[in-house]
Amino acid sequence: MVNAQTLPVKWLDCWVVDDSAAITRLVGNILDIHFNPKSINLFNDPHQAATRLEQTTYTLPHLIFIDLNMPGMDGIEFLRHLAKANYKGGLVVCSGMSPRLLKSVEELAKTHGLNIIGSIIKPIKEQAIVNLVEKFILSTQDHKQQIDNPEPKILIYELIRALKEHQFMIMYQPIVDLETKRPYGVEILTQLNHPHRGIIAPDKFIHQLEFHGLIAEHTYASLEHALAQWQQWQQQGLNLHLSINLSVCMLHDLTMPDKIMALLNKHQAPPEILHIEVTESCLSSHPAALLEILNRLNLRGIHLSIDDFGTGFSSLERLHELPMDTVKLDKKFITEALQSEAYRSSLEATIVMAKRLNLKLVAEGVEDVAAWNMVNHCGVNYVQGYYVAKALAGAELLPWSEQWNQSHV
Ligand code: C2E
Ligand code: CA
Ligand code: CA
């Protein structure tokens, strides 16, 4: 965790808008104790805050906490005032409403072009506020750093060279079966080992590969590499499933299932060892080609996972119309469930629904023993996260697995 005291927050102007004076005082005190901002303005009348937004003589604050349920003017209406004032600071919404409603308000704020930092469920917890303010401060620092020192984009010729010269490193993050506590499989994750810029994370190059039409080549090369590694693990007595991320661009290519089958055959790997991960957002609409491809993969025995579930708005019932057999709960889902009872209930409800629909569940982002115990207790089937292991090089899997089995099985 970031030490708030070391952060330069002397510039920070905050507003807290809530009809309850007790709440504005509480939030104000927490901000004061932890961050000692330049100014904290407390408003118990939202109209007063809205009027202030319109007065050009006042500079707008950097961060606003807004209650959603206020008599006279609710938080939703206040969002409109913020958008009209072209407010570009951070926004935190607070409410006693269900997490689902809070999420939809967050989405509404985004469509207004507002910079929503997160939401807080009442009763307000000190740590929840501290976490969000830290997140906001860090994001402004990142932003400032990016403006001062922009990171150059990876160019097409660098990507072509990286593919040709095998500069992509193929890493494997272990997944453990919670029932047996044994290693179940690995997710294939890639990094770029750039000759001048060092190790580059996937969020910096996957979009570029997609943009330049190179993602399929990268994915097939990674799978080929991973299947050769899988054969070595088999020879060492290590039986693992492989999960690979498939970009949405590849879900339109009707020849993709045959290409994947050819790679599996080449390495004598049965289709049942392969899991294809497709993000929830890619599955929100179901064009005919997507359905055809998913069904073809499924008919051949390849498993299909819904990745990053909980980051969008899809319901499991609707996603179940697709031939998916596994749901990967996004790490955000797990982190939030650890922080609040309401999110915990929403996690439990999702798990009950997944079981009813006969879907297996993987919890991602399990970082510590508290998260491990929680997902174990909730009835999740598989676990992935730093508590188990970070992504490892192929040769590290066997020693890791021996060590894991010694201490956990
Ligand atoms: P993802 O599929 O959700 O993969 C999991 C990401 O979460 C990985 O980040 C992993 O290192 C990270 N992670 C795992 N356990 C923990 C944990 O306990 N705590 C935290 N905070 N993080 C954890 P990574 O490697 O940076 O990958 C980011 C994303 O990039 C992946 O998200 C995946 O969508 C994409 N990606 C990576 N490699 C490829 C690839 O070869 N092809 C495609 N299409 N996408 C890829
Ligand atoms: Ca994934
Ligand atoms: Ca994921």
Side-chain angles (χ1 to χ4, degrees):
M1 161 134 343
V2 184
N3 179 0
Q5 305 304 334
T6 64
L7 292 167
V9 286
K10 281 289 178 196
W11 48 268
L12 186 65
D13 293 312
C14 304
W15 284 10
V16 185
V17 187
D18 195 309
D19 58 301
S20 151
I23 300 259
T24 50
R25 253 200 322 273
L26 172 70
V27 177
N29 277 341
I30 296 172
L31 291 173
D32 194 28
I33 291 166
H34 286 270
F35 301 98
N36 191 15
K38 186 170 129 218
S39 75
I40 306 171
N41 275 296
L42 308 181
F43 296 92
N44 297 122
D45 177 2
H47 291 99
Q48 201 191 347
T51 311
R52 183 78 79 86
L53 284 174
E54 282 157 19
Q55 293 168 344
T56 46
T57 41
Y58 287 101
T59 45
L60 296 182
H62 303 102
L63 184 59
I64 299 181
F65 289 79
I66 173 83
D67 177 28
L68 289 181
N69 317 77
M70 292 178 289
M73 183 195 298
D74 63 25
I76 313 262
E77 195 182 337
F78 195 78
L79 294 185
R80 238 185 310 112
H81 284 280
L82 286 172
K84 202 168 137 215
N86 202 18
Y87 174 65
K88 289 290 170 234
L91 186 68
V92 174
V93 287
C94 314
S95 172
M97 302 190 312
S98 72
R100 188 178 264 264
L101 260 166
L102 268 178
K103 278 229 157 42
S104 81
V105 173
E106 281 189 23
E107 222 41 43
L108 175 69
K110 280 184 204 152
T111 60
H112 277 311
L114 296 167
N115 174 21
I116 183 108
I117 306 301
S119 45
I120 287 179
I121 297 173
K122 289 181 181 177
I124 287 176
K125 292 205 181 79
E126 187 168 351
Q127 195 57 44
I129 294 190
V130 172
N131 290 348
L132 282 177
V133 178
E134 283 181 351
K135 184 174 157 196
F136 170 69
I137 292 167
L138 287 176
S139 75
T140 60
Q141 285 177 342
D142 280 356
H143 184 66
K144 198 171 165 307
Q145 233 167 30
Q146 268 176 19
I147 293 168
D148 294 347
N149 188 12
E151 216 178 301
K153 266 203 180 134
I154 299 169
L155 303 170
I156 182 164
Y157 81 88
E158 293 177 287
L159 293 172
I160 292 171
R161 187 182 57 193
L163 283 167
K164 219 166 84 197
E165 296 179 7
H166 307 289
Q167 290 168 2
F168 288 105
M169 299 194 304
I170 318 296
M171 310 290 285
Y172 306 91
Q173 188 174 31
I175 300 170
V176 164
D177 184 333
L178 264 178
E179 198 179 326
T180 61
K181 304 288 184 291
R182 286 185 183 278
Y184 170 80
V186 290
E187 177 172 359
I188 303 167
L189 294 166
T190 56
Q191 293 177 347
L192 170 55
N193 190 0
H194 192 280
H196 309 300
R197 289 161 59 183
I199 306 289
I200 299 181
D203 58 329
K204 301 281 188 309
F205 63 78
I206 296 290
H207 288 309
Q208 291 296 98
L209 284 169
E210 288 172 347
F211 182 75
H212 295 298
L214 294 166
I215 191 70
E217 194 180 331
H218 170 69
T219 306
Y220 294 131
S222 309
L223 182 59
E224 169 113 55
H225 191 101
L227 284 166
Q229 180 63 65
W230 175 85
Q231 281 184 303
Q232 277 192 28
W233 289 330
Q234 287 285 107
Q235 284 155 12
Q236 295 168 334
L238 199 56
N239 294 311
L240 294 171
H241 288 236
L242 288 179
S243 292
I244 188 154
N245 293 289
L246 224 65
S247 155
V248 65
C249 319
M250 294 178 69
L251 294 170
H252 303 293
D253 176 10
L254 291 168
T255 65
M256 181 263 283
D258 287 336
K259 287 182 181 151
I260 293 204
M261 285 309 289
L263 286 176
L264 286 165
N265 290 335
K266 184 174 164 194
H267 295 273
Q268 287 115 43
E272 294 74 26
I273 65 127
L274 188 65
H275 294 246
I276 286 184
E277 300 189 3
V278 184
T279 57
E280 177 190 337
S281 56
C282 298
L283 297 170
S284 51
S285 65
H286 306 175
L290 172 82
L291 279 174
E292 185 173 334
I293 288 171
L294 294 178
N295 279 308
R296 268 197 205 164
L297 291 165
N298 176 246
L299 278 173
R300 286 170 168 92
I302 293 171
H303 297 278
L304 297 170
S305 309
I306 303 162
D307 201 1
D308 299 346
F309 184 77
T311 51
F313 281 91
S314 317
S315 73
L316 275 188
E317 293 94 319
R318 188 162 143 63
L319 288 171
H320 190 58
E321 293 161 9
L322 302 168
M324 318 303 284
D325 56 43
T326 308
V327 182
K328 296 194 81 172
L329 299 167
D330 189 71
K331 52 180 172 276
K332 192 166 158 239
F333 218 138
I334 307 302
T335 318
E336 286 176 343
L338 277 170
Q339 281 167 0
S340 112
E341 264 307 311
Y343 280 116
R344 173 82 183 257
S345 313
S346 128
L347 171 70
E348 283 167 354
T350 303
I351 294 173
V352 169
M353 178 54 73
K355 295 216 169 224
R356 193 174 306 150
L357 299 173
N358 222 2
L359 292 161
K360 295 273 188 222
L361 285 150
V362 184
E364 291 191 289
V366 170
E367 292 187 344
D368 52 29
V369 71
W372 168 270
N373 288 339
M374 180 184 76
V375 296
N376 205 353
H377 177 77
C378 289
V380 163
N381 305 90
Y382 306 102
V383 172
Q384 179 180 353
Y386 297 162
Y387 179 74
V388 173
K390 292 200 174 186
L392 304 170
E396 291 175 307
L397 251 292
L398 185 65
W400 167 81
S401 134
E402 285 168 351
Q403 209 186 357
W404 173 269
N405 285 338
Q406 262 175 22
S407 44
H408 292 86
V409 180

